[in-house]
Amino acid sequence: MTNGLLKQAIHVLRQETFSRRTQMLSRWFKWLAPGLLVKRWLLLSATGVLLATVGFAIWMKLTPVFYTTQLLGEILQTITDIVPSYVSGPLVMVSGLLLVWWGHSRTLGSITEVLMPEGDQDLVDVLLAHRRLNRGPRIVVVGGGTGLSTLLRGLKDYSANITAIVTVADDGGSSGRLRREIGVLPPGDIRNCLAALADEEKLMTELFQYRFRAGDGLMGHSFGNLFLTAMSEITGDLEQAIAASSKVLAVRGQVLPATLSNVSLWAELADGRRIEGESSITEARGTIVRIGCTPANPPALPKAVKAIQDADFIIIGPGSLYTSIIPNLLVPEITEAIAASKAPRIYVCNIMTQEGETQGYSVGDHIRAIDRACGKRLFEAVLIQKQTPSAKALIRYAQESSNPVPLDRDVVARLGRRVILANVMEEDEHTGLIRHNPVALSRVLFRWFTRVQGL
């Protein structure tokens, strides 16, 4: 029995040793992968040392070279007299290679200890991921609310060249209070997008999303909103505040407001009412027949227009149709830039209807609303959730007058859009809450993008 346990322990130990050696070899082979921009600089440094040595020798009229060569010749002759060349040659060569390997590993180890003190990832893996993401396509995502931030969490694993264009029409909650009391543009949706694009800065992200639960004047505010508001006051505008916050959070890509104008939404309902304010539109619980903003035709942020013009891939949504997506499209320059783009453009339709905005809406109704609001055809395909939510989720949402968005395929076809059906939903088993799954959604979008690019 004891011998059996001993043999098993030895076998496990051998397996662990083999596994560690395999992992070490794998790491070293990764360093040989092209595109890291490490090997070429090490070779350049070695060449520099060689040139400096030769230059010094020339300066000294080759005297050091002569004596050094003579000395090396005598040493080599002595060694080969004692140890045959077929033994001493390989030994010296292996010794040299071991010294190179030792110096290289210690150098990279020292760099890793400084840059990654927690040691949760290998430096080579970080470099490979960094190069891959930087070579990713230039993606522009237009929207707002939780839908946009959910999508961004998945997209940042495919590219670091992401631009999120976000609405600044929010006037509810913490953002609305700051807008009314201080006069700044609402930072809420921007804060969510910055947190979603943060590069694994877990503590800073949690801090940015922290919401005060007590304190006169502080209760209900998020730290990120207050931070962005303070940065706006210091830097002079929201654009500079976002840029500074992006550095703090190590954001992959950039977040841009659609406009720096103090935009306020209004909507005309089927019953004749005219509702002012983004939050009031949803609360009115009416059927929206027309939507606009004050001031009309606000100027776009130039960087947002440039990002659309340079984009390889444009995604509209997901998010609340009338209060998150369409407000961006009420900026004429944004709409014109999207319509003129030759990049693949797709709309991610919501999974469920929303009371006060899209109750009773089909997929075709969503598309018509966007076309009507901007007067142009902005996308050629629409992504729709394929599988129906569970009975528990349907009951939960029915209590809020919300139902799955039905696909009227014939209407969508008449509107000239291609249908992409996929399972991109995640459902909370306990609450029945439905959201887009960021990983599944991004995977399907990139699969479609790759196929379109290939065609």
Side-chain angles (χ1 to χ4, degrees), residues 387-455:
Q387 186 176 337
T388 305
S390 68
K392 180 180 179 180
L394 292 176
I395 293 170
R396 178 195 186 282
Y397 277 87
Q399 294 171 352
E400 301 173 0
S401 302
S402 178
N403 299 287
V405 178
L407 170 59
D408 43 355
R409 192 183 289 270
D410 55 335
V411 174
V412 176
R414 284 201 301 271
L415 292 170
R417 266 61 171 213
R418 182 181 177 186
V419 172
I420 310 297
L421 279 172
N423 290 318
V424 292
M425 176 189 72
E426 66 179 9
E427 182 179 324
D428 191 303
E429 296 180 359
H430 303 290
T431 64
L433 192 67
I434 293 170
R435 290 285 183 267
H436 280 103
N437 182 292
V439 176
L441 179 59
S442 300
R443 184 171 58 245
V444 170
L445 286 170
F446 260 83
R447 190 183 301 145
W448 179 78
F449 168 71
T450 304
R451 187 164 61 247
V452 172
Q453 286 291 89
L455 295 174

Side-chain angles (χ1 to χ4, degrees), residues 244-258:
S245 303
S246 297
K247 293 178 182 178
V248 172
L249 292 171
V251 165
R252 294 183 191 174
Q254 60 180 347
V255 181
L256 301 174

Side-chain angles (χ1 to χ4, degrees), residues 288-421:
I288 299 170
V289 294
R290 188 163 170 255
I291 193 163
C293 66
T294 305
N297 302 323
L301 186 72
K303 284 182 68 175
V305 176
K306 184 69 168 59
I308 295 171
Q309 292 171 342
D310 295 340
D312 299 315
F313 187 19
I314 297 175
I315 305 169
I316 300 173
S320 298
L321 179 63
Y322 286 105
T323 55
S324 291
I325 295 174
I326 288 180
N328 294 291
L329 307 178
L330 297 176
V331 182
E333 292 167 276
I334 297 289
T335 302
E336 290 166 7
I338 296 174
S341 174
K342 301 300 181 184
R345 294 159 294 164
I346 190 169
Y347 167 56
V348 181
C349 190
N350 291 336
I351 300 171
M352 307 295 290
T353 62
Q354 184 177 354
E355 187 181 11
E357 287 201 36
T358 57
Q359 63 268 35
Y361 271 40
S362 65
V363 174
D365 292 327
H366 281 75
I367 297 172
R368 283 198 198 97
I370 295 175
D371 289 350
R372 188 167 56 245
C374 60
K376 292 179 174 64
R377 174 175 161 165
L378 299 187
F379 51 89
E380 61 261 30
V382 55
L383 175 58
I384 305 157
Q385 166 61 21
K386 184 177 182 181
Q387 186 176 337
T388 305
S390 68
K392 180 180 179 180
L394 292 176
I395 293 170
R396 178 195 186 282
Y397 277 87
Q399 294 171 352
E400 301 173 0
S401 302
S402 178
N403 299 287
V405 178
L407 170 59
D408 43 355
R409 192 183 289 270
D410 55 335
V411 174
V412 176
R414 284 201 301 271
L415 292 170
R417 266 61 171 213
R418 182 181 177 186
V419 172
I420 310 297
L421 279 172

Side-chain angles (χ1 to χ4, degrees), residues 1 3 79 88 118 127 139 221 269 300 349 352 360 375 377 394 412:
M1 186 72 175
N3 289 338
I79 291 173
S88 58
E118 295 181 4
L127 288 172
I139 306 169
H221 280 302
L269 307 184
C349 190
M352 307 295 290
R377 174 175 161 165
L394 292 176
V412 176

